[in-house]
Amino acid sequence: MQGTAALPITLTLKNEPLRPGTSELIGVITLAPVAVGIFCWALWSVPGGTASDTLVTSGAYSRLRHPIYFAFLAMLLATGFVVSAGLALVAAIVLYVAGTELRIASEEADL
């Protein structure tokens, strides 16, 4: 639903530089639901009552090492597509990946 929420707005925009193109809208409609699905799958993969220091290796965590960070990256891409971010999207992705790598290194050091 989040991906399709962009359609009423973007379809009524005039032909301006910030209007997403067809391929960008397809990216949004594809990536946003995938991001939400992976995020929910990751949350459901953690058994209730599990201690915060317990290593979870089932569900989403059996397929992806960091499913929540991956879901955030997919939503960042979808957001960048809907606003036709161009080079700003590339910069945002680089910053996100660099920040995520730092955070992952810190978290793994704690484990």
Side-chain angles (χ1 to χ4, degrees), residues 9 18-19 27 30 33 40 44-45 51 53 80 83-84 89 100 106 108:
I9 295 169
L18 293 181
R19 181 181 180 180
T30 304
C40 291
W44 294 328
S45 296
D53 61 348
V83 296
S84 300
L89 178 58
T100 301
S106 171
E108 289 182 353

Side-chain angles (χ1 to χ4, degrees), residues 50-109:
T50 302
S52 63
D53 61 348
T54 302
L55 181 64
V56 177
T57 59
S58 60
Y61 293 90
S62 69
R63 302 283 181 207
L64 297 166
R65 185 164 180 167
H66 300 285
I68 292 177
Y69 295 148
F70 183 77
F72 287 169
L73 176 61
M75 191 56 78
L76 174 66
L77 283 168
T79 303
F81 287 155
V82 81
V83 296
S84 300
L87 288 176
L89 178 58
V90 173
I93 291 169
V94 168
L95 287 171
Y96 177 81
V97 170
T100 301
E101 288 297 321
L102 290 172
R103 184 174 181 137
I104 288 170
S106 171
E107 289 174 352
E108 289 182 353

